[in-house]
Amino acid sequence: MLLSQPKSNAGKIKPILFLVLLALVAFAGAYTYQRLQHDFETLDGTAYLWQDLEGKWVVVNYFAPWCAPCLREMPELVTFNQSLPDDTLLFAINYDLKTKPELKAMAKKFDIELPVIVSSPDTKLPMQKPPYLPATFILGPDGKIKDTIMGEITAAHLRQRLAELKGADE
């Protein structure tokens, strides 16, 4: 009488392990891809998605080093940034495309102590590039542009305008 050999499950386990491994790799790839996606990045390396900023008021100021009014208003923007109203963020963006090292040097040279968006062909903004500078855009909590201020601005004027828009939005 021959004893029967126990059937090996190794042949069944290998395809299952392969499928589990394949699923993990696919998940890791999708997760990594999603984490690398962003609408814009600031000089400090922080990546942002506009959808993550919904619920906040966002001020975006276009400037350039060749724009004298832009440079005159920069200290006002720094002052405004130092005491931002609740649920408000401020970003500056250079009008011209610059590399990160060029932007860092410019920020240092002109004492731009606020979050500066690195403008690149991949940068996604909810507004068109303005026809002239300086230009300041105020986006509401819904992500839509609530006001466009063309020309030089002060911290006090920006604070007042934001308060008016917040009051009208309630």
Side-chain angles (χ1 to χ4, degrees):
M1 173 173 196
L2 292 172
L3 295 172
S4 62
Q5 295 287 327
K7 291 187 178 179
S8 172
N9 286 332
K12 293 179 184 175
I13 293 176
K14 283 183 182 177
I16 292 171
L17 286 175
F18 177 74
L19 289 175
V20 168
L21 182 63
L22 188 61
L24 285 172
V25 168
F27 174 77
Y31 177 78
T32 302
Y33 176 78
Q34 287 296 327
R35 297 299 296 159
L36 292 176
Q37 297 304 305
H38 59 273
D39 292 330
F40 66 94
E41 180 183 342
T42 53
L43 270 181
D44 67 1
T46 305
Y48 293 88
L49 287 167
W50 284 108
Q51 67 189 24
D52 293 342
L53 299 179
E54 286 183 14
K56 296 186 183 299
W57 288 84
V58 180
V59 178
V60 178
N61 175 268
Y62 269 91
F63 74 97
W66 44 261
C67 167
C70 298
L71 297 179
R72 277 195 308 264
E73 80 175 355
M74 198 53 68
E76 292 288 328
L77 292 170
V78 170
T79 298
F80 177 76
N81 191 53
Q82 290 170 344
S83 60
L84 284 172
D86 290 340
D87 297 327
T88 305
L89 297 170
L90 170 67
F91 297 99
I93 182 166
N94 189 59
Y95 189 79
D96 303 310
L97 294 180
K98 298 276 185 198
T99 64
K100 218 174 192 180
E102 289 172 325
L103 278 175
K104 283 184 179 186
M106 182 175 55
K108 183 176 180 176
K109 179 178 180 180
F110 294 109
D111 295 321
I112 302 172
E113 297 175 13
L114 21 119
V116 176
I117 295 172
V118 178
S119 55
S120 75
D122 297 329
T123 302
K124 297 173 190 83
L125 299 172
M127 74 280 296
Q128 295 294 319
K129 204 173 196 183
Y132 61 91
L133 298 175
T136 304
F137 297 88
I138 301 175
L139 287 81
D142 59 0
K144 295 187 180 356
I145 297 171
K146 300 296 181 185
D147 197 10
T148 302
I149 303 167
M150 301 302 294
E152 210 169 325
I153 193 163
T154 65
H157 179 240
L158 190 53
R159 189 168 278 104
Q160 176 188 351
R161 186 63 188 126
L162 199 55
E164 293 168 358
L165 290 169
K166 285 182 176 185
D169 199 52
E170 293 175 353

